[in-house]
Amino acid sequence: MSMYGGSGGGRTRMGTKVYLNIYDLSPANDCLYPVGFGLHHSGVEIMGSEYSYASGGGIFEGTPREAPGARFREQIELGTFEGGSSELRVKLDDLRSSFGPSDYNLIQKNCNHFANALVWALMRRPIPPHVNRLADVANCFSCLIPRSILDESPVGPNAGRSSSGGDNSSAGFQVFKADSRSANDGGGPTAPTAAFIGRGSRLGGGSTDTTSTTSTANGSTASSSGGGIFGFGGGTAGSRGSKATKEDDLTDRREKARQAALARLERNAN
């Protein structure tokens, strides 16, 4: 009887053993793990293979307990699967429609969500809650997290190819960054994207201007109108001169009013 998911695949007379392999993605896990948190990658090991999920690659198969870019922490035995390889393939195929290559989200549909779905399909039980607890909490603040971060998986498949084009299935995993959403695969400068659109008063005048600040490829910003960023700071020399004339007129009117008031007081005194 095999007690480990090695060459025997964890097969026993009562079924096939299922393991959850948990990895650390951050050194901070040494402090977070004792209190039930952590940034984890996970994969389901069964029949000598490990199954996981990543952006761009979807559901993939890899070498158990090997994830470059992540540190293996522990293996948890979850139970036994009462089925064979054909039944396992059916379960995996059923999950592909929900866990497609472009469906990945770091906090809403990550490798731990897939592991939980696969284990539930195999044995009708969930994975330990601490594995994905940090993502569950972060989901409450998803609007504050950049989309570029949410769409990338820290661990993923290398498609079984080496740099020379040959087969390299023993590599198992590599750090993987999705490129399906890149705006420009040719390496050229990316198109400017709007960073701000709004209305504001131009200094020295009462009119409002609509401005749009864009980010360019070299990180600089540009404004699409003379009103300046957020609609301010775009006054011209002519507008500043007009403002000075208006201030002089106001001063003259105040002085004339003060003199008229003094004249009335003198008349009333006499």
Side-chain angles (χ1 to χ4, degrees):
M1 181 182 297
S2 174
M3 297 301 294
Y4 194 75
S7 59
R11 184 73 181 177
T12 70
R13 294 180 180 178
M14 301 300 295
T16 304
K17 287 189 176 183
V18 180
Y19 303 91
L20 183 69
N21 293 331
I22 303 174
Y23 302 83
D24 288 335
L25 296 175
S26 171
N29 283 7
D30 290 337
C31 298
L32 295 174
Y33 188 80
V35 295
F37 279 91
L39 185 60
H40 295 294
H41 168 73
S42 66
V44 178
E45 181 180 346
I46 180 173
M47 299 182 186
S49 296
E50 183 172 304
Y51 299 91
S52 191
Y53 174 64
S55 60
I59 299 173
F60 64 93
E61 180 179 349
T63 305
R65 302 176 302 283
E66 293 184 11
R71 183 182 67 182
F72 178 75
R73 171 172 283 274
E74 64 176 333
Q75 182 182 78
I76 300 177
E77 182 177 338
L78 300 176
T80 57
F81 170 56
E82 302 300 329
S85 58
S86 59
E87 289 84 359
L88 173 62
R89 292 297 174 186
V90 170
K91 301 293 186 183
L92 290 169
D93 290 339
D94 290 342
L95 292 174
R96 294 188 192 280
S97 60
S98 299
F99 293 88
S102 61
D103 295 330
Y104 185 91
N105 185 282
L106 185 63
I107 60 178
Q108 295 177 347
K109 189 174 286 188
N110 59 32
C111 57
N112 302 319
H113 290 103
F114 166 74
N116 187 70
L118 179 57
V119 171
W120 182 265
L122 295 176
M123 300 183 298
R124 287 295 186 269
R125 61 163 295 178
I127 65 174
H130 73 273
V131 177
N132 207 33
R133 182 170 290 140
L134 189 60
D136 294 336
V137 174
N139 191 34
C140 300
F141 309 96
S142 59
C143 60
L144 304 177
I145 304 176
R147 178 67 181 272
S148 59
I149 295 178
L150 295 178
D151 290 344
E152 296 177 5
S153 56
V155 177
N158 66 358
R161 293 291 186 271
S162 65
S163 59
S164 61
D167 183 70
N168 188 21
S169 58
S170 63
F173 297 82
Q174 70 174 8
V175 176
F176 185 83
K177 180 176 181 180
D179 57 0
S180 59
R181 294 180 176 83
S182 61
N184 189 344
D185 293 334
T190 59
T193 56
F196 172 82
I197 296 176
R199 299 184 67 83
S201 298
R202 177 179 296 185
L203 292 179
S207 62
T208 59
D209 296 319
T210 300
T211 62
S212 176
T213 303
T214 59
S215 299
T216 60
N218 61 2
S220 61
T221 59
S223 177
S224 61
S225 75
I229 299 177
F230 301 111
F232 298 102
T236 61
S239 64
R240 288 194 294 270
S242 176
K243 181 179 179 181
T245 301
K246 291 179 180 179
E247 291 178 351
D248 292 341
D249 293 342
L250 179 60
T251 301
D252 291 342
R253 289 196 298 270
R254 288 176 177 174
E255 180 63 22
K256 291 178 181 179
R258 186 181 68 84
Q259 292 176 358
L262 290 175
R264 285 195 298 270
L265 288 176
E266 290 177 358
R267 288 195 298 269
N268 292 334
N270 295 329

Short mmCIF file of all heavy atoms in Angstrom, two decimals, residues 46-47 55 65 89 109 139 153 159 194 231 249:
data_model
loop_
_atom_site.label_atom_id
_atom_site.label_comp_id
_atom_site.label_asym_id
_atom_site.label_seq_id
_atom_site.Cartn_x
_atom_site.Cartn_y
_atom_site.Cartn_z
N ILE A 46 -2.80 14.05 -7.47
CA ILE A 46 -3.53 12.79 -7.54
C ILE A 46 -2.95 11.95 -8.67
O ILE A 46 -2.59 12.48 -9.74
CB ILE A 46 -5.05 13.04 -7.76
CG1 ILE A 46 -5.81 11.70 -7.82
CG2 ILE A 46 -5.30 13.89 -8.98
CD1 ILE A 46 -7.33 11.87 -7.87
N MET A 47 -2.78 10.69 -8.44
CA MET A 47 -2.26 9.75 -9.43
C MET A 47 -0.89 10.18 -9.96
O MET A 47 -0.58 10.02 -11.14
CB MET A 47 -3.25 9.57 -10.59
CG MET A 47 -4.58 9.01 -10.18
SD MET A 47 -5.70 8.77 -11.56
CE MET A 47 -7.19 8.27 -10.68
N SER A 55 -3.35 32.11 -15.19
CA SER A 55 -3.78 32.98 -16.27
C SER A 55 -3.00 32.64 -17.54
O SER A 55 -1.82 32.34 -17.50
CB SER A 55 -3.56 34.45 -15.89
OG SER A 55 -2.18 34.69 -15.65
N ARG A 65 4.92 19.08 -6.15
CA ARG A 65 5.79 19.73 -5.16
C ARG A 65 6.96 20.47 -5.80
O ARG A 65 7.98 20.68 -5.17
CB ARG A 65 6.29 18.71 -4.14
CG ARG A 65 5.16 17.99 -3.41
CD ARG A 65 5.67 16.92 -2.46
NE ARG A 65 6.45 15.91 -3.14
CZ ARG A 65 5.93 14.93 -3.88
NH1 ARG A 65 4.62 14.84 -4.03
NH2 ARG A 65 6.71 14.04 -4.45
N ARG A 89 -10.31 12.66 -15.60
CA ARG A 89 -10.29 13.50 -16.79
C ARG A 89 -11.66 14.14 -17.03
O ARG A 89 -11.76 15.29 -17.46
CB ARG A 89 -9.89 12.67 -18.01
CG ARG A 89 -8.45 12.19 -17.98
CD ARG A 89 -7.49 13.36 -18.02
NE ARG A 89 -6.10 12.93 -17.85
CZ ARG A 89 -5.09 13.76 -17.74
NH1 ARG A 89 -5.30 15.06 -17.77
NH2 ARG A 89 -3.87 13.31 -17.57
N LYS A 109 -10.77 34.36 -8.71
CA LYS A 109 -10.69 33.05 -9.37
C LYS A 109 -9.23 32.71 -9.59
O LYS A 109 -8.68 32.84 -10.68
CB LYS A 109 -11.46 33.05 -10.69
CG LYS A 109 -11.60 31.68 -11.32
CD LYS A 109 -12.50 31.71 -12.56
CE LYS A 109 -13.96 31.85 -12.16
NZ LYS A 109 -14.84 31.69 -13.35
N ASN A 139 -10.83 40.54 -1.51
CA ASN A 139 -11.95 40.73 -2.43
C ASN A 139 -12.84 41.89 -2.00
O ASN A 139 -13.51 42.51 -2.83
CB ASN A 139 -12.77 39.44 -2.50
CG ASN A 139 -13.79 39.48 -3.63
OD1 ASN A 139 -13.55 40.06 -4.68
ND2 ASN A 139 -14.91 38.85 -3.41
N SER A 153 -0.99 35.68 -12.73
CA SER A 153 -0.78 34.61 -11.76
C SER A 153 0.70 34.49 -11.45
O SER A 153 1.53 34.54 -12.37
CB SER A 153 -1.31 33.28 -12.30
OG SER A 153 -0.71 32.98 -13.54
N ALA A 159 4.36 25.27 -20.51
CA ALA A 159 3.88 24.64 -21.75
C ALA A 159 4.75 23.48 -22.21
O ALA A 159 4.67 23.04 -23.34
CB ALA A 159 3.78 25.67 -22.87
N ALA A 194 -6.12 57.95 -20.92
CA ALA A 194 -6.62 59.09 -20.15
C ALA A 194 -6.45 58.86 -18.66
O ALA A 194 -6.80 57.81 -18.14
CB ALA A 194 -8.09 59.33 -20.48
N GLY A 231 -7.81 71.55 -14.95
CA GLY A 231 -8.46 72.77 -15.39
C GLY A 231 -7.91 74.03 -14.77
O GLY A 231 -8.50 75.09 -14.92
N ASP A 249 -10.34 98.92 -10.52
CA ASP A 249 -11.68 99.51 -10.55
C ASP A 249 -12.40 99.30 -9.24
O ASP A 249 -13.10 100.19 -8.73
CB ASP A 249 -12.49 98.89 -11.70
CG ASP A 249 -11.93 99.29 -13.07
OD1 ASP A 249 -11.18 100.27 -13.13
OD2 ASP A 249 -12.26 98.59 -14.05
#
